[in-house]
Amino acid sequence: MNATQGIEMVREELESHWLPFTDNKSFKDDPRLFVKGDGVYLWNQHGDRLLDGCSGLFTSAAGHCRPEITEAVAKQLQELDYTPSFLRSHPRSFELANKLTAILPEPITKVFFCNSGSESVDTAIKMALQYHACRGEGHRNIFVSRHRAYHGVNIGGTSLSGLIKNRQGFNGTMPGVFHMRATWDPDQIFSKGQPLNRGPELADDLLTAIQTYGGNNIAACFIEPIAGSTGCLVPPVGYLERLREICDENGILLVLDEVITGFGRTGGAFSADTLGVTGDIMTMAKALTNGAQPMGAVGVKEEIYQTIVEAHPRDVVELAHGYTYSAHPAACAAGIATLEIYEKENLFQRAADLSEYFLDAIFSLQNLGAVTDIRGYGMLAGIDIATEDFPGKKGNLLQKRLFDAGLHIKTTGDAALISPPLVVEKEQIDDMCEILKQELSRL
Ligand SMILES: Cc1ncc(COP(=O)(O)O)c(C=O)c1O
């Protein structure tokens, strides 16, 4: 197959696959497929080259098809293709956990592996419940999250999520979830970096949850340090600090969902390094393996692990939870190779150094008619466009037109998300912005 020469697929070949988060009817009429990736570029089925403005789906931070990762995965599959992770494991799982804890914020000392961000969130929910139960506080079963949050699509994560579209039509969600307000505020419009206003005041929404349910009944507060999928909502100054303070005062676990913000996206390994607040539990996925293998992980503080493990006698399984593919050898090999690239190429620092240029370039689009707001932090930015007829109509049109013009990005409703691979060059950022300018101008 020579991908760059084009591959044609006829309609019948597209019928069996039900695509996720996709308008299947129109997709199958006019499919947008990728057939090849290399660095910051992807190729579609017609052989056209596109810039990847979203690192795949916030996954491919080191660029596509890195030979170091491909070779590590191939070698692993030849040596040992699978091992159960219940009562068994393999050396690479420990190697990856050690590499990961070396870059995780200090209080996080243990890592549990799963296969996606959604699984990491539901794992964290169960860990929080188990931790409190082991301390004799099994009554703590209320969870707090936010409007416009995205915590994946399993039932726990769907319940925590605050995106209307993702909740509509699913009535059987987990009870006992309190949603705080999202941090977006009209006063912050076109704020680059952390907005200055109302941080502690918005965080005090957690006090409302405490007043409603009692602080000693709340298990955990789940927060994306920067709300990613909803369009890059950067926390105002003082917001995360105040949440941390209220959690500590009330014995509530703070869970930071770093599925998007982890591995350099904010200009440091994790948001703790840039935004300055550490969770008791951290969820991760996506760039953990550079997207080359499905993998998620949950990092926990030593005390949480010890409490759960010590509450059980020897020879008894302590956490009755895990997946057939937890710590899959190929995913571990990909994770190790990925973390080595991040370290060798100093990519987290590169992201920090490039951030100003990237954000300035994106904010240069703010005077275009269709643009109603822009936000950004590190190497992540969101552009809101004016809604027309119904939410998402213009956003969907924009992502299609951008694709056809040579730029892949993600849209959520009428927000466009830009998060290029951390290996992107300044000229490639300029090229991305040129395409964005052209397509935003004709919306
Ligand atoms: C913050 C956050 N949590 C969880 C998820 C779910 O991850 P996955 O799609 O790997 O299940 C996502 C996906 O975008 C996310 O952004």
Side-chain angles (χ1 to χ4, degrees), residues 21 57-58 115-121 150-154 224-226 228-229 257-261 283 285-286 295 410:
F21 277 120
L57 201 52
F58 315 102
N115 309 291
S116 66
S118 299
E119 287 184 1
S120 71
V121 168
Y150 182 64
H151 294 293
V153 293
N154 289 347
E224 299 158 87
I226 296 172
S229 288
D257 186 345
E258 298 245 23
V259 166
I260 286 182
T261 50
T283 52
K286 294 192 185 275
M295 187 174 227
K410 172 179 166 36

